[in-house]
Amino acid sequence: MNWTQLLSTQRFKIKQGHILATHAAASADGTAGLRSEFHIDHDRVVFSSAFRRLGRKTQVHPLALHDHTHNRLTHSVEVASVGRSLGNRVGAMLQAGGFLPPLATPFDIGGIVQVACLAHDLGNPPFGHTGEYALRDWFAQPERTQLLEGLSVAQRHDIQTYEGNAHGLRLLTSLEMYAGEGGMRLTAASLGALVKYPWTAQTCPERGKFNVYQAELSYFRAVAEALGLPVRGPEQWARHPLSYLMEAADDICYAIVDLEDAVEMDILDLHEFERLLAPIVDPDKVWQIREPRQYAAALRGTMVGRCVKDLADTFMRHHDALLAGELPLKDLIAGASPEVRDTLVAAKQLASDKIYRHRSKVVTEIAAYPCLAVLLDTLIPAVRTFCLQGAAALSHRQHTQLALLPRSLVPGLSLYEGYLQVLDFVGGMTDNHAARLARDISGVGIL
């Protein structure tokens, strides 16, 4: 791989089923030249409805009543801030080493990573990762096996494995802005930096996660070709180097900020948070801050700053391996200094022990399963009837059920496309919307 291709500003659209390259985004407000291509990407993500919905989606604490805890929106904004800092720092080091193309700047690297970070959670369903498991669990039940008949093997993998990463790419390239015609049409560089798992569900089922549904495979193939991503097998590519910075920014934030939220909610003692960060943060330098919330924020801010410097250095140490698509590490954190690596690992373990299994979280996670099951029970059988037998075969009840979908089903829709349309609808819901709708259509409290 080379940086000239990896920073590609190429955009793509879909016309009559064909993936076509487009020219640079045009400015409608006379500001041409004042925004880089990556600034345009940033603005398209920020002004999307999918981004706004993150404000009502779970980060760690489902349906949290505390105003100071994070949701997916605040998390994404903070990850983007850390990602931009990481990108700018790496960009400056790439420029100093003579690696950047002539017209590229360090801020282009920061801008690309920032866009990827802003978009990295767009595909998360209601109730976070528990929502993913609940949607998968519904399709995995033996009594629903017949609902998968008529799908190809690859399509079954997609439908049975709701994956937030793949749905995020789908939102960006198929659903938002130019729906069905290339989505937001972001630059190839921003899409490449977003994709942590550049393969399909059926390619690497043992890995669990993937980024590309069959529906977006042709689009991503064009993006990968523009970026020069090495092909690793059928429907599988090497990762874009900047995706490791996006991943690192996300890991830093959820490892440290989740604990800060726990302190805010009295789930974790402030002194335990302080002891965790002691190898990195000298409490004597922030001891004068007496207010507990500000003190926790100072600890977190100092830790994040150290991580940015350390992981940027790690990226540059492995620069050649990253360009070859052969990083000999699980992620950048695995190659960080022992102090940073061990502290982040300990933070994740502490969160697992004291936060993720806290009763307030567990109860809502359990409720997510029947909640999402009500929605799928209502929609999937009706969609199957429509796709395989046509509208005339629908019962009155099924007609009414399909009226819930924001987009009407069109004649000739394949079963795969129909099921994806349901997953687009359910997966795009906020926690509150899913909970209310499931309650309302179940008949509970109708009077």
Side-chain angles (χ1 to χ4, degrees), residues 28 48 93 97 111 130 156 165 225 250 274 282 306 314 318 329 333 339 385 430:
S48 68
M93 298 165 82
T130 298
R156 286 191 183 200
N165 292 288
E225 183 176 349
D250 187 28
E274 179 186 70
D282 183 359
R306 171 65 186 276
T314 302
H318 295 279
L329 302 167
I333 290 175
E339 296 84 3
T385 299
T430 63

Side-chain angles (χ1 to χ4, degrees), residues 383 385-392 394 402 407-415 417-418 421:
V383 166
T385 299
F386 178 92
C387 292
L388 297 185
Q389 301 177 50
L394 294 172
L402 292 183
R407 291 184 292 132
S408 298
L409 302 181
V410 297
L413 190 72
S414 73
L415 186 61
E417 293 169 327
Q421 195 163 326

Side-chain angles (χ1 to χ4, degrees), residues 86-98 100 105-107 109-110 316:
L86 269 169
N88 286 346
R89 192 175 187 91
V90 166
M93 298 165 82
L94 288 172
Q95 187 176 61
L100 286 187
T105 74
F107 303 110
I109 304 296
M316 292 308 298

